[in-house]
């Protein structure tokens, strides 16, 4: 079993810095993946109303940015807390591993983690 680093000011600083990196990188990543807007040459007799409409950004850019951010967050949370942020299957397997090894406190942690995910999903379905 991998030992977790002690909680101190340095670790808190690194966690906060990691979250700042995510919040700063996502808009830049999405902007970098967005295709450039086509140039429209205004000709004689053309008005702004008759110019072609603006191009909608590629939705694949958003999907790519979200997938990258989701993977990055999973790695960050795994290295910091020893669990996954969005992969409940991994958390379920870790929970079962802890329970079969009779590590009740760790098992309770993963059970609470999965229960909070299911509760949040259920609350969303009720509100939606």
């Amino acid at each position: 079993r991998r030992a977790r680093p002690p909680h101190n000011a340095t670790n808190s600083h690194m966690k906060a810095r990691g979250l700042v990196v995510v919040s700063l990188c996502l808009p830049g990543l999405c902007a970098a993946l967005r295709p450039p807007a086509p140039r429209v040459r205004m000709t004689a007799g053309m008005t702004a109303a008759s110019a072609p409409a603006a191009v909608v950004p590629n939705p694949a850019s958003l999907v790519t940015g979200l997938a990258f951010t989701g993977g990055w967050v999973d790695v960050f949370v795994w290295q910091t807390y020893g669990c996954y942020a969005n992969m409940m299957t991994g958390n379920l397997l870790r929970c079962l591993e802890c329970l079969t090894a009779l590590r009740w406190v760790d098992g309770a942690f993963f059970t609470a983690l999965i229960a909070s995910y299911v509760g949040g999903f259920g609350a969303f379905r009720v509100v939606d």
Side-chain angles (χ1 to χ4, degrees):
R1 183 173 173 187
R2 193 182 86 174
R4 292 191 180 138
H7 181 74
N8 57 28
T10 305
N11 287 339
S12 297
H13 173 67
M14 294 304 286
K15 290 175 197 173
R17 193 171 86 181
L19 294 176
V20 169
V21 168
V22 169
S23 63
L24 293 177
C25 288
L26 183 59
L29 176 67
C30 290
L33 294 175
R34 186 177 306 126
R39 293 183 150 197
V40 177
R41 178 177 244 171
M42 298 292 281
T43 58
M46 182 182 255
T47 63
S50 65
V55 176
V56 177
N58 185 1
S61 300
L62 177 64
V63 171
T64 303
L66 290 174
F68 173 80
T69 304
W72 191 91
V73 167
D74 266 337
V75 169
F76 178 76
V77 170
W78 173 258
Q79 289 179 348
T80 306
Y81 301 107
C83 61
Y84 297 104
N86 352 328
M87 296 190 327
M88 289 302 120
T89 305
N91 288 331
L92 177 64
L93 292 175
R94 295 274 300 176
C95 177
L96 295 175
E97 174 192 348
C98 293
L99 293 177
T100 56
L102 303 177
R103 294 188 314 216
W104 302 113
V105 174
D106 290 339
F109 169 75
F110 284 106
T111 302
L113 184 70
I114 294 168
S116 68
Y117 180 83
V118 171
F121 186 80
F124 171 77
R125 295 295 275 185
V126 168
V127 171
D128 188 36

